[in-house]
Amino acid sequence: GDQASLVVAGEGTWTYNPATGDLTFDPEVGFTTDPTPINYILTEVATNLKDTTSVTVNYTEVAPTADNDSDLNNLPGTNGVVNVIANDTLSDGSPATLTKLTVDLDPTTPAIEPSKTVAGEGTYVYNPATGEVTFTPLVTFTGNPTPINYVLTETATGLKDTASITVTY
């Protein structure tokens, strides 16, 4: 039979309006790239002749937004912790979620690095299960660590944005 809608898992819903002839794609929250093209059959009522064609929708992709993060006024010698994705957004403006992104703490190296050591200060480590970055100071370090940059990459599009992490004591 005829269907007026089609749900594509992980992408969104296509809906046909027979009164206007409009076909609409409504993406799921967090889906920010081009949907998979769909096929449809056009049937002429008078002759029952049919033809199949496809519909493609192309979106202009927009990068996600990574906002600067900070954990200020910690007690000396304690770890500084900040959830770096809590204030970030995906390309569609929805909140960043752990399953739809990666975080690279060392953008100067070619791989995605979940940690970065700052010589003489300590180590920053990203936890992909929580979105938190923990700065662990060296026992001998008593100042404010050098802020670092991280790169937030949206996995669906590969688009990126950069923000900084600042920890103070």
Side-chain angles (χ1 to χ4, degrees), residues 71 73-81 134-137 141 167-169:
D71 184 24
N73 302 317
N74 293 287
L75 294 174
T78 63
N79 292 347
V81 180
T134 301
F135 173 74
T136 304
F141 183 70
V167 176
T168 64
Y169 290 91

Side-chain angles (χ1 to χ4, degrees), residues 35-125:
T36 304
I38 63 166
N39 293 325
Y40 71 93
I41 300 171
L42 178 65
T43 305
E44 183 178 48
V45 175
T47 63
N48 205 33
L49 292 173
K50 300 177 182 188
D51 194 17
T52 302
T53 192
S54 64
V55 175
T56 302
V57 173
N58 293 310
Y59 285 99
T60 301
E61 295 176 337
V62 178
T65 301
D67 288 319
N68 295 335
D69 301 287
S70 60
D71 184 24
L72 308 176
N73 302 317
N74 293 287
L75 294 174
T78 63
N79 292 347
V81 180
V82 62
N83 187 323
V84 294
I85 69 162
N87 61 347
D88 297 343
T89 56
L90 298 174
S91 297
D92 67 350
S94 65
T97 57
L98 296 169
T99 59
K100 296 185 178 188
L101 57 85
T102 60
V103 171
D104 183 2
L105 292 186
D106 191 357
T108 62
T109 62
I112 296 172
E113 301 294 335
S115 66
K116 180 173 182 158
T117 299
V118 178
E121 297 179 6
T123 302
Y124 292 87
V125 176

